[in-house]
Amino acid sequence: MLNSNYPYKKAVLKDRLGDLNKRWYVTFKVWDVQLGKLRPKYDYEVNKHPTKEARYRFAKRLIKQINQMLEGGKHIDNEKNKAQEPQVVILTDAFYEILDIKRNEYSRDTFNSYKSKVDQFTEWLREKKKHKLPVEKISTQLIISFIDYKAKDGRSAKTLNSYVDTFKAIYSELRSRHTQLPNNPFAEIPKRKELVSHKNMAYLGKEKDELIYVIKKIKPNLFSFVQFMYYTFMRPNEIRQLQVYNIQLEDNLIFIEAFKSKSKKDAFITIPPPFKTTLKKLIENKPNSAYLFPGKTATCISKNRMSDYHREILERFDWRNTNHTLYSWKHTGVIDAYKAGIDIKSLQLQLRHHSLEETDTYLKSLGMYTNKAILTKMPALIQ
């Protein structure tokens, strides 16, 4: 056996537990002289074979070849040994490689959403016989053709923009690892005009009071959950994962850890005084590790449980097929806060928006801005 002067990690097959519907790959690590560390590599050629047996046979041969090269001193040296670096990087292979690298940084929903879009893009390229397209050959014309194809399939402008944003984010990650790549072509694709969504409409006036009365009477636990959304503007998935140690009553703060947050960033939320009594009852006599909304086991309540409870109550009001949802309580809280005179900067902090512009756009989508001058000063055409 040959001895390598460079460290490496042997090639192995990731067969996704034998699931042929998932993308198999061979992965190994090779030493990068310029980086001064091991660099992960991925080979997806095994997916060309339709059966498990064929894939295992091919992977066995490929792994043997790769490991022989690693043992023989294979490494990456962009200055002296460029020939050892693959000359052609296939666009879709590169996209899947980034997804695998970033898998643990994305939430499960984000990863599944990204992968679904890449799968669809890959399938479309295959139909166009462009699935072997080098990454540096991607053009804005090709991207627009794919987006037009999805538009004809009935996708909304919001969904189409989401495709572009996803690919733009993945390409940016790719470019940070391959600095020779040209500027991000996905960033040049114009946004499609999105219609204002009426989903998750806020509860107003009498309907809000009646709904709260029923929720409080029938499902007290759901009422506590609703208050969380109303007062803190938190998302349901964040609320259900809260534990006692996240609540800092003395400082009037709720600490949301990055792994519990949709934004994947640590954050603090202020506890409004009207909510403090409810919050105190939720955590009293519970250990720090206890969940505020526990499930049947030692974990938190399941993801859709509160939404299911809320939907059952909405049916009593004949709102089953309306745009009212559990999430509507977040919008309700924001609207009431704005009408009460809370300034936009304070709303931004509580909403955890990255900019005032984002909060401004959000308030506009809720119909919060009215032109008071027009309402009060516009003269009549006929006196």
Side-chain angles (χ1 to χ4, degrees), residues 4-250:
S4 170
N5 293 323
Y6 298 96
Y8 61 88
K9 187 173 181 180
K10 285 187 176 182
V12 294
L13 172 66
K14 299 294 184 180
D15 65 357
R16 305 303 179 90
L17 300 178
D19 189 345
L20 291 174
N21 293 318
K22 294 184 178 179
R23 191 172 172 84
W24 295 24
Y25 60 93
V26 171
T27 181
F28 60 97
K29 289 186 178 180
V30 60
W31 186 257
D32 189 308
V33 174
Q34 277 68 47
L35 292 178
K37 63 180 181 181
L38 289 171
R39 180 172 168 182
K41 287 291 181 181
Y42 304 85
D43 191 302
Y44 297 91
E45 197 172 359
V46 66
N47 295 287
K48 292 180 179 179
H49 301 274
T51 66
K52 290 183 183 180
E53 292 75 13
R55 289 190 183 186
Y56 285 127
R57 284 196 300 270
F58 175 82
K60 184 177 180 180
R61 293 194 301 270
L62 179 62
I63 288 171
K64 182 178 180 180
Q65 293 170 2
I66 293 173
N67 287 338
Q68 284 177 345
M69 288 189 291
L70 292 171
E71 292 163 2
K74 178 178 174 61
H75 62 282
I76 297 171
D77 188 337
N78 289 323
E79 297 299 326
K80 297 181 180 179
N81 200 17
K82 292 183 178 179
Q84 294 194 44
E85 188 69 359
Q87 297 300 306
V88 178
V89 179
I90 303 302
L91 175 68
T92 52
D93 285 350
F95 272 22
Y96 282 113
E97 180 177 342
I98 293 297
L99 286 179
D100 284 326
I101 291 172
K102 302 288 288 184
R103 176 189 290 268
N104 293 331
E105 296 181 32
Y106 296 144
S107 68
R108 183 177 65 179
D109 289 345
T110 297
F111 176 81
N112 290 339
S113 174
Y114 277 24
K115 185 178 181 301
S116 173
K117 292 179 175 65
V118 173
D119 287 343
Q120 293 172 53
F121 189 36
T122 300
E123 184 61 30
W124 181 80
L125 288 171
R126 190 178 300 279
E127 291 176 2
K128 298 293 181 182
K129 301 190 184 302
K130 292 184 180 293
H131 55 289
K132 293 295 183 181
L133 185 74
V135 66
E136 66 272 14
K137 297 295 184 181
I138 184 70
S139 65
T140 54
Q141 290 79 9
L142 186 66
I143 299 167
I144 291 173
S145 293
F146 172 73
I147 298 301
D148 287 344
Y149 163 77
K150 284 297 178 183
K152 292 176 184 177
D153 199 31
R155 299 298 196 278
S156 68
K158 183 176 181 179
T159 300
L160 299 176
N161 289 335
S162 177
Y163 277 101
V164 176
D165 288 341
T166 295
F167 299 147
K168 181 170 67 174
I170 296 174
Y171 193 96
S172 293
E173 291 288 346
L174 184 62
R175 193 165 181 266
S176 69
R177 292 164 172 78
H178 300 273
T179 54
Q180 77 277 12
L181 290 177
N183 291 334
N184 195 329
F186 295 96
E188 301 174 16
I189 307 301
K191 291 276 190 179
R192 304 215 174 190
K193 187 174 181 180
E194 298 179 13
L195 297 176
V196 176
S197 173
H198 294 290
K199 188 178 179 181
N200 306 317
M201 291 181 65
Y203 301 105
L204 304 173
K206 186 178 180 181
E207 68 182 21
K208 178 177 69 175
D209 296 337
E210 291 176 347
L211 188 54
I212 282 294
Y213 175 80
V214 174
I215 291 174
K216 189 175 181 180
K217 185 177 181 180
I218 296 178
K219 290 282 186 184
N221 206 31
L222 175 60
F223 179 55
S224 298
F225 202 90
V226 164
Q227 288 181 82
F228 252 107
M229 299 189 68
Y230 180 84
Y231 287 117
T232 70
F233 311 154
M234 289 175 65
R235 302 172 181 89
N237 195 45
E238 296 171 334
I239 298 170
R240 75 182 186 89
Q241 297 181 75
L242 287 177
Q243 292 166 271
V244 172
Y245 69 80
N246 292 121
I247 311 303
Q248 302 176 11
L249 273 182
E250 291 184 2

Side-chain angles (χ1 to χ4, degrees), residues 263-383:
S263 65
K264 297 303 173 185
K265 295 179 181 178
D266 290 340
F268 286 94
I269 288 179
T270 301
I271 302 171
F275 183 44
K276 198 166 183 178
T277 300
T278 296
L279 202 48
K280 187 176 181 179
K281 290 180 180 178
L282 271 176
I283 67 174
E284 64 183 359
N285 301 322
K286 292 182 180 178
N288 280 336
S289 61
Y291 287 97
L292 272 63
F293 298 95
K296 293 182 179 180
T297 61
T299 59
C300 57
I301 195 169
S302 61
K303 189 173 182 179
N304 297 316
R305 179 63 63 196
M306 287 299 183
S307 292
D308 292 341
Y309 288 156
H310 194 267
R311 193 178 302 109
E312 291 172 5
I313 292 177
L314 287 180
E315 291 178 4
R316 293 170 174 256
F317 290 80
D318 199 25
W319 286 350
R320 181 189 305 181
N321 298 317
T322 68
N323 290 313
H324 292 91
T325 65
L326 175 63
Y327 202 89
S328 296
W329 289 109
K330 175 188 173 183
H331 297 334
T332 304
V334 174
I335 288 174
D336 286 356
Y338 182 78
K339 288 182 176 180
I342 295 178
D343 63 275
I344 189 171
K345 180 62 179 177
S346 297
L347 290 174
Q348 178 204 346
L349 294 173
Q350 192 79 337
L351 284 161
R352 290 169 288 153
H353 287 167
H354 71 273
S355 68
L356 285 173
E357 182 181 2
E358 183 181 359
T359 305
D360 183 66
T361 301
Y362 176 66
L363 290 172
K364 286 178 182 175
S365 72
L366 295 178
M368 284 295 91
Y369 292 156
T370 55
N371 196 327
K372 293 182 180 178
I374 294 294
L375 288 174
T376 59
K377 298 180 181 179
M378 183 69 184
L381 178 61
I382 301 174
Q383 299 297 331

